Amino acid sequence: FSLSLKLEKKAKGKLQKQICQVVLDHFEKQYTAELGDAWSSVREVLTSPWCWQHAVLLNRFSLSPGLESSLAEQGYHPAFPAALPYLPAAFRCYSSAAPGRFPAQKHQPGRLKDYYLLNAASLLPVLALEVQDGEDVLDLCAAPGGKSVAILQCACPGHFHCNEYDDLRSRWLEQTIESFIPDPLINLIKVSKLDGRQIGHLQPESYDKVLVDAPCSNDRSWLFSADPQQAVLRLMQRKELSSLQFQLLRSAVQALRPGGTLVYSTCTLSKAENSHVISLILNSCREVMPVDISGMARGVSQEFTFLSGTQHHELLVLPEKGRAWGPMYVAKLKKVSS
């Protein structure tokens, strides 16, 4: 017992040392101002990776017999209640209040994985999108592919366009799709490496649903930047992210058909990259209106902690001990006319 305690302390100490102080100082200043009292408990979770949780999204195309009973035996429970307004029967995700990670499966060419490990909050943008069979769907910034895989657990789109501009991340996306999706369905999926800011111009009014899971200042990973110089550079470039996010959103609006819906998400707590970007698009695009997602937030309130005081068309998941999901910002919009 004493050895395991020592190892745990050593692991904690090692992880603690890896926290990038320059990033933590920056977050401390910004998020104390933006989140107030909520920041101290969020900071405690973000800086304590040993208390992070991982959900298990089952792959409907390759279900291993006994997997669900094995998850139940290990204390996992369905992460999303059946009472949610939109929860397809095939969509099954399990989570546990205990920290830790279910064993990962390695990529094997020609063999599908049974499940995807992820932050449960990252599924909220997919559920907010409410994809139906036969719809034309665009995942504008799709790598590493978790949300694309999740969309295909919900429905079978008529056409599914997964885009990733970065070359390395695009290869990662292709491997993820190959690991989870059977050949007949892969033929419905188009993977491209286009500049997301140009897609609306290249393919105007082509999609019923668009997901913009935008590049953002990833609070969890940035806090553990191994290279302090890279961290400083990231923080300097952070100011430019909201401009990129706005341009991606504007492109997504162009790509959307009238009557279509768009979901915007990030994994940062930053107001500049979240509600400010959405306010800017609502103020500058007359054809876009907000969609109420407060019902979805209420439906999953047992599983997630949300920042209070947000608008009805947005939510922000705050990490908390025992519910260490997020950060995850989600906003939903609808295109009313072209």
Side-chain angles (χ1 to χ4, degrees):
F1 171 74
S2 61
L3 178 65
S4 66
L5 197 65
K6 278 179 187 171
L7 287 171
E8 188 185 340
K9 281 185 176 175
K10 190 177 177 183
K12 284 188 179 183
K14 192 177 175 187
L15 286 162
Q16 200 66 41
K17 281 176 195 164
Q18 291 174 344
I19 289 170
C20 186
Q21 196 59 46
V22 67
V23 175
L24 183 58
D25 291 346
H26 184 90
F27 285 0
E28 190 77 43
K29 188 175 178 183
Q30 180 181 351
Y31 294 148
T32 299
E34 291 184 8
L35 301 175
D37 294 342
W39 166 240
S40 59
S41 58
V42 170
R43 179 189 58 210
E44 190 182 353
V45 172
L46 290 182
T47 55
S48 310
W50 55 89
C51 78
W52 294 0
Q53 293 153 267
H54 295 85
V56 182
L57 176 67
L58 305 194
N59 184 12
R60 68 174 169 140
F61 307 111
S62 170
L63 277 180
S64 169
L67 176 57
E68 288 184 86
S69 55
S70 172
L71 284 163
E73 283 165 19
Q74 294 181 53
Y76 283 80
H77 61 271
F80 297 94
L84 268 183
Y86 174 81
L87 193 75
F91 183 91
R92 303 223 282 292
C93 180
Y94 286 81
S95 67
S96 166
R101 186 194 284 256
F102 201 69
Q105 291 180 308
K106 285 185 177 168
H107 172 70
Q108 295 178 37
R111 185 173 174 186
L112 297 182
K113 292 185 181 182
D114 300 319
Y115 54 86
Y116 192 98
L117 300 178
L118 76 183
N119 184 320
S122 68
L123 293 170
L124 292 173
V126 173
L127 293 176
L129 199 60
E130 298 190 32
V131 176
Q132 307 290 338
D133 287 347
E135 289 183 324
D136 295 325
V137 182
L138 168 63
D139 189 349
L140 193 70
C141 314
K147 291 181 181 68
S148 297
V149 166
I151 284 169
L152 290 163
Q153 304 308 311
C154 295
C156 182
H159 173 64
F160 191 21
H161 182 177
C162 300
N163 182 69
E164 177 53 54
Y165 184 53
D166 181 86
D167 194 53
L168 188 67
R169 286 172 62 82
S170 182
R171 289 202 293 275
W172 190 3
L173 167 66
E174 285 178 339
Q175 188 183 88
T176 301
I177 289 170
E178 186 190 318
S179 290
F180 286 90
I181 311 305
D183 284 340
L185 251 183
I186 281 185
N187 297 333
L188 296 174
I189 303 168
K190 173 188 172 186
V191 178
S192 67
K193 292 190 280 189
L194 298 167
D195 182 338
R197 294 169 293 186
Q198 302 300 322
I199 285 181
H201 173 68
L202 296 169
Q203 299 174 7
E205 299 192 353
S206 300
Y207 300 97
D208 302 300
K209 302 279 167 74
V210 180
L211 174 64
V212 184
D213 186 44
C216 66
S217 46
N218 184 322
D219 295 351
R220 281 190 188 230
S221 66
W222 281 27
L223 273 168
F224 294 88
S225 302
D227 181 350
Q229 285 180 310
Q230 186 199 33
V232 171
L233 186 64
R234 274 176 168 172
L235 291 171
M236 285 167 64
Q237 293 171 336
R238 194 181 195 206
K239 298 184 186 80
E240 297 161 25
L241 278 170
S242 56
S243 172
L244 169 64
Q245 290 154 350
F246 173 74
Q247 289 171 63
L248 288 168
L249 261 179
R250 196 166 52 186
S251 174
V253 171
Q254 269 187 293
L256 202 59
R257 290 178 183 137
T261 52
L262 181 160
V263 169
Y264 173 78
S265 60
T266 74
C267 51
T268 180
L269 298 160
S270 173
K271 268 188 183 175
E273 298 175 53
N274 294 339
S275 52
H276 290 180
V277 173
I278 292 297
S279 294
L280 195 58
I281 206 82
L282 286 169
N283 290 333
S284 61
C285 294
R286 287 183 181 174
E287 68 268 39
V288 175
M289 61 180 286
V291 177
D292 190 346
I293 54 171
S294 57
M296 183 181 82
R298 280 193 301 275
V300 295
S301 60
Q302 292 300 306
E303 194 78 38
F304 302 101
T305 301
F306 296 106
L307 178 69
S308 59
T310 55
Q311 299 290 311
H312 63 82
H313 59 274
E314 60 179 356
L315 56 85
L316 178 62
V317 179
L318 300 178
E320 194 177 76
K321 281 259 175 87
R323 299 201 281 189
W325 312 115
M328 181 56 58
Y329 175 81
V330 184
K332 186 170 181 176
L333 308 172
K334 182 171 185 170
K335 187 171 185 176
V336 288
S337 63
S338 56

